Amino acid sequence: MQAISHVAGRAIPFGRKNVDTDVIIPAHWLKTITREGLGKGAFEAVKKEEGNVFENPEFSGAPILIAGDNFGCGSSREHAAWALLDMGVTSVIAPSFSDIFSGNAFKNGILTVALPQEAIDRLMEVAQTDPIEIDLETQTVTTRFQDRYSFEIDPFRKHCLLGGLDEVGLTMAQGDAIAAHEAKARDALPFLAKAPATA
């Protein structure tokens, strides 16, 4: 996955609470065998609403989504994270997230930022006209109007996101340690190394 340290740009001021994964990506989009193109189906029902923010060209390709409380609730659906990435979103800011969604987002390189509702309200206001910046290294969200909000993140998740390390990447990063362990095991149990291969 792509490493992430800064996310800056326009933010989609969605703000809706209790958005479940079926709203993020409807079930009939789950038949695909590729992640590409899922962005077209993201928030499909919301896009049918008159004046919805997703159809506003000002927010096309925006890397940040501002949502309401309990974002990503409902069924476990990794496609929700894939759909967000495909539409260009690499960070979601909300008061809280479903644990399953938060985990799927992390595994796919999406930074979830939990902030109090007062901060969300202010960022929703700023997002109407101006960009927002998220700095993962310093764990802050800032605006050009001197707004500054700190957020918490699990140190392991922060390490992985900064390094672009998914589960495969984490394993590969331990290549030397794995090779050393295998060499030690061969020395301790040489008969295993010499055992004939079975058909």
Side-chain angles (χ1 to χ4, degrees):
M1 67 185 188
Q2 291 291 320
I4 182 170
S5 59
H6 287 80
V7 183
R10 295 300 298 273
I12 304 168
F14 184 39
R16 194 171 296 184
K17 298 179 180 180
N18 300 312
V19 172
D20 65 33
T21 51
D22 193 54
V23 172
I24 299 171
I25 186 70
H28 65 88
W29 284 87
L30 308 189
K31 300 172 185 177
T32 179
I33 57 172
T34 177
R35 301 181 187 194
E36 296 177 7
L38 286 174
K40 295 177 184 176
F43 302 100
E44 186 175 67
V46 178
K47 289 175 181 175
K48 294 176 182 177
E49 299 172 4
E50 187 176 349
N52 76 84
V53 70
F54 295 104
E55 296 300 300
N56 187 331
E58 284 191 40
F59 303 112
S60 177
I64 302 168
L65 175 70
I66 304 174
D69 199 32
N70 197 29
F71 185 78
C73 56
S75 62
S76 172
R77 189 172 297 183
E78 194 170 5
H79 291 69
W82 299 347
L84 289 171
L85 282 173
D86 196 58
M87 64 183 285
V89 172
T90 54
S91 183
V92 182
I93 305 173
S96 68
F97 299 89
S98 154
D99 286 343
I100 294 175
F101 171 81
S102 183
N104 284 334
F106 158 66
K107 289 178 183 179
N108 286 278
I110 296 175
L111 172 61
T112 54
V113 175
L115 291 176
Q117 187 61 53
E118 311 85 75
I120 298 296
D121 293 342
R122 171 58 181 161
L123 293 173
M124 287 279 291
E125 179 185 352
V126 172
Q128 299 292 335
T129 55
D130 290 273
I132 290 170
E133 181 174 354
I134 304 169
D135 187 325
L136 178 55
E137 193 70 60
T138 61
Q139 296 177 211
T140 55
V141 178
T142 56
T143 75
R144 63 178 57 176
F145 304 107
Q146 308 306 312
D147 300 295
R148 184 180 182 88
Y149 305 104
S150 297
F151 62 90
E152 297 297 320
I153 184 170
D154 175 80
F156 174 72
R157 288 190 174 189
K158 179 177 180 178
H159 167 73
C160 291
L161 290 170
L162 287 171
L165 299 171
D166 58 12
E167 291 167 337
V168 174
L170 283 167
T171 303
M172 296 298 289
Q174 298 299 317
D176 291 343
I178 293 169
H181 173 77
E182 290 177 341
K184 185 177 178 181
R186 281 193 301 271
D187 291 342
L189 305 168
F191 60 88
L192 291 180
K194 297 177 181 178
T198 57

